[in-house]
mmCIF file of all heavy atoms in Angstrom:
data_model
loop_
_atom_site.group_PDB
_atom_site.id
_atom_site.type_symbol
_atom_site.label_atom_id
_atom_site.label_comp_id
_atom_site.label_asym_id
_atom_site.label_seq_id
_atom_site.Cartn_x
_atom_site.Cartn_y
_atom_site.Cartn_z
ATOM 1 N N GLN N 1338 3.411 19.185 5.679
ATOM 2 C CA GLN N 1338 2.169 18.468 5.437
ATOM 3 C C GLN N 1338 1.110 18.828 6.474
ATOM 4 O O GLN N 1338 -0.084 18.882 6.172
ATOM 5 C CB GLN N 1338 2.436 16.950 5.440
ATOM 6 C CG GLN N 1338 1.218 16.127 5.063
ATOM 7 C CD GLN N 1338 1.568 14.689 4.740
ATOM 8 O OE1 GLN N 1338 2.244 14.412 3.754
ATOM 9 N NE2 GLN N 1338 1.111 13.758 5.569
ATOM 10 N N GLY N 1339 1.557 19.114 7.693
ATOM 11 C CA GLY N 1339 0.629 19.502 8.750
ATOM 12 C C GLY N 1339 -0.111 20.786 8.456
ATOM 13 O O GLY N 1339 -1.206 21.029 8.976
ATOM 14 N N GLN N 1340 0.458 21.610 7.589
ATOM 15 C CA GLN N 1340 -0.183 22.878 7.263
ATOM 16 C C GLN N 1340 -1.087 22.804 6.051
ATOM 17 O O GLN N 1340 -1.923 23.676 5.859
ATOM 18 C CB GLN N 1340 0.878 23.963 7.039
ATOM 19 C CG GLN N 1340 1.607 24.395 8.302
ATOM 20 C CD GLN N 1340 0.698 25.096 9.303
ATOM 21 O OE1 GLN N 1340 -0.499 25.247 9.092
ATOM 22 N NE2 GLN N 1340 1.268 25.532 10.413
ATOM 23 N N TYR N 1341 -0.903 21.783 5.182
ATOM 24 C CA TYR N 1341 -1.747 21.843 3.983
ATOM 25 C C TYR N 1341 -2.568 20.611 3.658
ATOM 26 O O TYR N 1341 -3.502 20.733 2.883
ATOM 27 C CB TYR N 1341 -0.972 22.369 2.770
ATOM 28 C CG TYR N 1341 -0.112 21.400 2.001
ATOM 29 C CD1 TYR N 1341 -0.432 21.065 0.682
ATOM 30 C CD2 TYR N 1341 1.046 20.862 2.536
ATOM 31 C CE1 TYR N 1341 0.363 20.224 -0.052
ATOM 32 C CE2 TYR N 1341 1.850 20.019 1.804
ATOM 33 C CZ TYR N 1341 1.504 19.700 0.510
ATOM 34 O OH TYR N 1341 2.308 18.857 -0.219
ATOM 35 N N THR N 1342 -2.307 19.460 4.233
ATOM 36 C CA THR N 1342 -3.269 18.356 4.083
ATOM 37 C C THR N 1342 -3.495 17.595 5.379
ATOM 38 O O THR N 1342 -4.483 16.882 5.511
ATOM 39 C CB THR N 1342 -2.849 17.316 3.017
ATOM 40 O OG1 THR N 1342 -1.620 16.717 3.424
ATOM 41 C CG2 THR N 1342 -2.708 17.939 1.648
ATOM 42 N N SER N 1343 -2.574 17.699 6.325
ATOM 43 C CA SER N 1343 -2.582 16.851 7.531
ATOM 44 C C SER N 1343 -2.406 15.392 7.133
ATOM 45 O O SER N 1343 -1.869 15.084 6.071
ATOM 46 C CB SER N 1343 -3.858 17.074 8.343
ATOM 47 O OG SER N 1343 -3.923 18.416 8.791
ATOM 48 N N GLY N 1344 -2.879 14.471 7.986
ATOM 49 C CA GLY N 1344 -2.628 13.060 7.756
ATOM 50 C C GLY N 1344 -3.428 12.491 6.604
ATOM 51 O O GLY N 1344 -4.498 12.990 6.250
ATOM 52 N N ALA N 1345 -2.898 11.405 6.029
ATOM 53 C CA ALA N 1345 -3.592 10.716 4.943
ATOM 54 C C ALA N 1345 -4.805 9.961 5.486
ATOM 55 O O ALA N 1345 -4.965 9.803 6.700
ATOM 56 C CB ALA N 1345 -2.627 9.750 4.253
ATOM 57 N N SER N 1346 -5.650 9.490 4.600
ATOM 58 C CA SER N 1346 -6.882 8.780 4.957
ATOM 59 C C SER N 1346 -6.624 7.669 5.977
ATOM 60 O O SER N 1346 -5.764 6.810 5.768
ATOM 61 C CB SER N 1346 -7.502 8.166 3.700
ATOM 62 O OG SER N 1346 -8.404 7.128 4.026
ATOM 63 N N SER N 1347 -7.388 7.692 7.029
ATOM 64 C CA SER N 1347 -7.228 6.698 8.092
ATOM 65 C C SER N 1347 -7.493 5.281 7.575
ATOM 66 O O SER N 1347 -6.744 4.339 7.883
ATOM 67 C CB SER N 1347 -8.170 7.021 9.251
ATOM 68 O OG SER N 1347 -9.514 7.096 8.791
ATOM 69 N N ILE N 1348 -8.545 5.120 6.779
ATOM 70 C CA ILE N 1348 -8.914 3.796 6.276
ATOM 71 C C ILE N 1348 -7.855 3.285 5.295
ATOM 72 O O ILE N 1348 -7.445 2.115 5.339
ATOM 73 C CB ILE N 1348 -10.301 3.831 5.593
ATOM 74 C CG1 ILE N 1348 -11.356 4.424 6.538
ATOM 75 C CG2 ILE N 1348 -10.701 2.451 5.109
ATOM 76 C CD1 ILE N 1348 -11.477 3.740 7.878
ATOM 77 N N ALA N 1349 -7.395 4.159 4.408
ATOM 78 C CA ALA N 1349 -6.379 3.763 3.435
ATOM 79 C C ALA N 1349 -5.074 3.383 4.138
ATOM 80 O O ALA N 1349 -4.366 2.466 3.695
ATOM 81 C CB ALA N 1349 -6.135 4.896 2.433
ATOM 82 N N GLN N 1350 -4.754 4.070 5.235
ATOM 83 C CA GLN N 1350 -3.539 3.712 5.978
ATOM 84 C C GLN N 1350 -3.624 2.305 6.551
ATOM 85 O O GLN N 1350 -2.644 1.544 6.526
ATOM 86 C CB GLN N 1350 -3.294 4.709 7.106
ATOM 87 C CG GLN N 1350 -2.769 6.051 6.641
ATOM 88 C CD GLN N 1350 -2.250 6.867 7.815
ATOM 89 O OE1 GLN N 1350 -1.356 6.442 8.535
ATOM 90 N NE2 GLN N 1350 -2.827 8.044 8.009
ATOM 91 N N LYS N 1351 -4.781 1.938 7.078
ATOM 92 C CA LYS N 1351 -4.933 0.595 7.639
ATOM 93 C C LYS N 1351 -4.871 -0.458 6.529
ATOM 94 O O LYS N 1351 -4.367 -1.567 6.733
ATOM 95 C CB LYS N 1351 -6.233 0.477 8.434
ATOM 96 C CG LYS N 1351 -6.352 1.419 9.620
ATOM 97 C CD LYS N 1351 -5.153 1.365 10.550
ATOM 98 C CE LYS N 1351 -5.127 0.119 11.424
ATOM 99 N NZ LYS N 1351 -4.000 0.169 12.404
ATOM 100 N N ALA N 1352 -5.374 -0.120 5.351
ATOM 101 C CA ALA N 1352 -5.247 -1.027 4.212
ATOM 102 C C ALA N 1352 -3.773 -1.191 3.824
ATOM 103 O O ALA N 1352 -3.304 -2.308 3.556
ATOM 104 C CB ALA N 1352 -6.050 -0.489 3.031
ATOM 105 N N ALA N 1353 -3.029 -0.086 3.799
ATOM 106 C CA ALA N 1353 -1.607 -0.142 3.447
ATOM 107 C C ALA N 1353 -0.822 -0.964 4.465
ATOM 108 O O ALA N 1353 0.112 -1.701 4.110
ATOM 109 C CB ALA N 1353 -1.040 1.272 3.356
ATOM 110 N N GLU N 1354 -1.190 -0.843 5.706
ATOM 111 C CA GLU N 1354 -0.534 -1.634 6.758
ATOM 112 C C GLU N 1354 -0.685 -3.129 6.472
ATOM 113 O O GLU N 1354 0.268 -3.906 6.579
ATOM 114 C CB GLU N 1354 -1.168 -1.270 8.099
ATOM 115 C CG GLU N 1354 -0.418 -1.751 9.308
ATOM 116 C CD GLU N 1354 -1.122 -1.301 10.591
ATOM 117 O OE1 GLU N 1354 -1.590 -0.143 10.657
ATOM 118 O OE2 GLU N 1354 -1.208 -2.128 11.518
ATOM 119 N N ALA N 1355 -1.896 -3.530 6.070
ATOM 120 C CA ALA N 1355 -2.129 -4.936 5.720
ATOM 121 C C ALA N 1355 -1.316 -5.339 4.491
ATOM 122 O O ALA N 1355 -0.837 -6.481 4.395
ATOM 123 C CB ALA N 1355 -3.619 -5.166 5.468
ATOM 124 N N ALA N 1356 -1.152 -4.407 3.550
ATOM 125 C CA ALA N 1356 -0.354 -4.704 2.356
ATOM 126 C C ALA N 1356 1.084 -5.035 2.743
ATOM 127 O O ALA N 1356 1.660 -6.019 2.269
ATOM 128 C CB ALA N 1356 -0.391 -3.517 1.393
ATOM 129 N N TYR N 1357 1.663 -4.235 3.619
ATOM 130 C CA TYR N 1357 3.062 -4.447 3.996
ATOM 131 C C TYR N 1357 3.244 -5.642 4.928
ATOM 132 O O TYR N 1357 4.256 -6.334 4.846
ATOM 133 C CB TYR N 1357 3.640 -3.183 4.633
ATOM 134 C CG TYR N 1357 3.901 -2.088 3.636
ATOM 135 C CD1 TYR N 1357 3.317 -0.827 3.761
ATOM 136 C CD2 TYR N 1357 4.728 -2.306 2.534
ATOM 137 C CE1 TYR N 1357 3.549 0.170 2.825
ATOM 138 C CE2 TYR N 1357 4.970 -1.314 1.593
ATOM 139 C CZ TYR N 1357 4.373 -0.078 1.748
ATOM 140 O OH TYR N 1357 4.616 0.905 0.810
ATOM 141 N N ASN N 1358 2.277 -5.876 5.797
ATOM 142 C CA ASN N 1358 2.427 -6.946 6.792
ATOM 143 C C ASN N 1358 1.944 -8.310 6.295
ATOM 144 O O ASN N 1358 2.284 -9.338 6.884
ATOM 145 C CB ASN N 1358 1.662 -6.595 8.076
ATOM 146 C CG ASN N 1358 2.351 -5.493 8.872
ATOM 147 O OD1 ASN N 1358 3.554 -5.269 8.715
ATOM 148 N ND2 ASN N 1358 1.594 -4.800 9.709
ATOM 149 N N GLY N 1359 1.143 -8.329 5.238
ATOM 150 C CA GLY N 1359 0.538 -9.577 4.770
ATOM 151 C C GLY N 1359 1.403 -10.325 3.777
ATOM 152 O O GLY N 1359 2.570 -9.987 3.533
ATOM 153 N N SER N 1360 0.815 -11.353 3.183
ATOM 154 C CA SER N 1360 1.494 -12.150 2.169
ATOM 155 C C SER N 1360 1.870 -11.276 0.971
ATOM 156 O O SER N 1360 1.095 -10.419 0.552
ATOM 157 C CB SER N 1360 0.576 -13.284 1.705
ATOM 158 O OG SER N 1360 1.085 -13.879 0.532
ATOM 159 N N GLN N 1361 3.053 -11.527 0.438
ATOM 160 C CA GLN N 1361 3.522 -10.774 -0.734
ATOM 161 C C GLN N 1361 3.315 -11.563 -2.038
ATOM 162 O O GLN N 1361 3.808 -11.171 -3.099
ATOM 163 C CB GLN N 1361 4.995 -10.416 -0.560
ATOM 164 C CG GLN N 1361 5.284 -9.585 0.683
ATOM 165 C CD GLN N 1361 4.501 -8.279 0.717
ATOM 166 O OE1 GLN N 1361 4.664 -7.431 -0.152
ATOM 167 N NE2 GLN N 1361 3.664 -8.103 1.728
ATOM 168 N N GLU N 1362 2.565 -12.650 -1.957
ATOM 169 C CA GLU N 1362 2.332 -13.483 -3.132
ATOM 170 C C GLU N 1362 1.634 -12.701 -4.241
ATOM 171 O O GLU N 1362 1.929 -12.872 -5.430
ATOM 172 C CB GLU N 1362 1.475 -14.693 -2.728
ATOM 173 C CG GLU N 1362 1.419 -15.788 -3.776
ATOM 174 C CD GLU N 1362 0.635 -17.006 -3.290
ATOM 175 O OE1 GLU N 1362 0.636 -17.278 -2.083
ATOM 176 O OE2 GLU N 1362 0.008 -17.653 -4.146
ATOM 177 N N CYS N 1363 0.716 -11.803 -3.854
ATOM 178 C CA CYS N 1363 -0.015 -11.013 -4.859
ATOM 179 C C CYS N 1363 0.928 -10.127 -5.661
ATOM 180 O O CYS N 1363 0.718 -9.907 -6.864
ATOM 181 C CB CYS N 1363 -1.096 -10.171 -4.180
ATOM 182 S SG CYS N 1363 -0.477 -9.038 -2.900
ATOM 183 N N VAL N 1364 1.965 -9.635 -5.014
ATOM 184 C CA VAL N 1364 2.934 -8.768 -5.692
ATOM 185 C C VAL N 1364 3.659 -9.556 -6.784
ATOM 186 O O VAL N 1364 3.807 -9.094 -7.922
ATOM 187 C CB VAL N 1364 3.937 -8.181 -4.680
ATOM 188 C CG1 VAL N 1364 4.998 -7.347 -5.389
ATOM 189 C CG2 VAL N 1364 3.213 -7.354 -3.624
ATOM 190 N N ALA N 1365 4.096 -10.756 -6.429
ATOM 191 C CA ALA N 1365 4.806 -11.600 -7.397
ATOM 192 C C ALA N 1365 3.902 -11.987 -8.563
ATOM 193 O O ALA N 1365 4.339 -12.018 -9.722
ATOM 194 C CB ALA N 1365 5.334 -12.849 -6.692
ATOM 195 N N GLU N 1366 2.632 -12.276 -8.265
ATOM 196 C CA GLU N 1366 1.692 -12.669 -9.332
ATOM 197 C C GLU N 1366 1.474 -11.522 -10.318
ATOM 198 O O GLU N 1366 1.448 -11.732 -11.534
ATOM 199 C CB GLU N 1366 0.359 -13.101 -8.712
ATOM 200 C CG GLU N 1366 0.427 -14.449 -8.001
ATOM 201 C CD GLU N 1366 -0.841 -14.774 -7.238
ATOM 202 O OE1 GLU N 1366 -1.762 -13.909 -7.204
ATOM 203 O OE2 GLU N 1366 -0.922 -15.870 -6.678
ATOM 204 N N MET N 1367 1.303 -10.309 -9.797
ATOM 205 C CA MET N 1367 1.086 -9.168 -10.685
ATOM 206 C C MET N 1367 2.336 -8.874 -11.502
ATOM 207 O O MET N 1367 2.255 -8.562 -12.697
ATOM 208 C CB MET N 1367 0.631 -7.947 -9.878
ATOM 209 C CG MET N 1367 -0.807 -8.053 -9.408
ATOM 210 S SD MET N 1367 -1.472 -6.555 -8.638
ATOM 211 C CE MET N 1367 -0.955 -6.764 -6.935
ATOM 212 N N CYS N 1368 3.504 -9.001 -10.879
ATOM 213 C CA CYS N 1368 4.750 -8.749 -11.606
ATOM 214 C C CYS N 1368 4.907 -9.750 -12.755
ATOM 215 O O CYS N 1368 5.329 -9.384 -13.855
ATOM 216 C CB CYS N 1368 5.938 -8.834 -10.653
ATOM 217 S SG CYS N 1368 7.511 -8.428 -11.444
ATOM 218 N N ALA N 1369 4.550 -11.006 -12.500
ATOM 219 C CA ALA N 1369 4.644 -12.024 -13.553
ATOM 220 C C ALA N 1369 3.725 -11.682 -14.722
ATOM 221 O O ALA N 1369 4.087 -11.864 -15.896
ATOM 222 C CB ALA N 1369 4.301 -13.402 -12.979
ATOM 223 N N ALA N 1370 2.531 -11.177 -14.421
ATOM 224 C CA ALA N 1370 1.603 -10.780 -15.484
ATOM 225 C C ALA N 1370 2.153 -9.601 -16.272
ATOM 226 O O ALA N 1370 2.076 -9.566 -17.515
ATOM 227 C CB ALA N 1370 0.242 -10.427 -14.887
ATOM 228 N N PHE N 1371 2.753 -8.628 -15.577
ATOM 229 C CA PHE N 1371 3.334 -7.476 -16.276
ATOM 230 C C PHE N 1371 4.493 -7.917 -17.174
ATOM 231 O O PHE N 1371 4.677 -7.387 -18.273
ATOM 232 C CB PHE N 1371 3.811 -6.423 -15.275
ATOM 233 C CG PHE N 1371 2.702 -5.646 -14.632
ATOM 234 C CD1 PHE N 1371 2.652 -5.479 -13.247
ATOM 235 C CD2 PHE N 1371 1.702 -5.056 -15.380
ATOM 236 C CE1 PHE N 1371 1.633 -4.761 -12.642
ATOM 237 C CE2 PHE N 1371 0.679 -4.329 -14.795
ATOM 238 C CZ PHE N 1371 0.655 -4.187 -13.419
ATOM 239 N N ARG N 1372 5.271 -8.869 -16.700
ATOM 240 C CA ARG N 1372 6.391 -9.350 -17.513
ATOM 241 C C ARG N 1372 5.872 -10.002 -18.798
ATOM 242 O O ARG N 1372 6.429 -9.789 -19.884
ATOM 243 C CB ARG N 1372 7.230 -10.350 -16.710
ATOM 244 C CG ARG N 1372 8.433 -10.850 -17.485
ATOM 245 C CD ARG N 1372 9.331 -11.733 -16.644
ATOM 246 N NE ARG N 1372 10.605 -11.921 -17.312
ATOM 247 C CZ ARG N 1372 11.768 -12.006 -16.709
ATOM 248 N NH1 ARG N 1372 11.836 -11.904 -15.402
ATOM 249 N NH2 ARG N 1372 12.880 -12.195 -17.389
#
């Protein structure tokens, strides 16, 4: 990856960090809608 794209978007990474560290209630709500 270091040779053809390097690191992923800095801003998107910080958003993903919040996704993993924050409340997971949104995940359950979306899954219920998909069901």
Side-chain angles (χ1 to χ4, degrees):
Q1338 185 166 294
Q1340 290 294 2
Y1341 82 114
T1342 62
S1343 298
S1346 160
S1347 56
I1348 306 305
Q1350 285 193 58
K1351 299 308 285 185
E1354 193 179 319
Y1357 287 122
N1358 287 338
S1360 167
Q1361 301 302 298
E1362 193 176 329
C1363 58
V1364 177
E1366 288 172 356
M1367 286 188 274
C1368 184
F1371 286 131
R1372 182 175 194 144

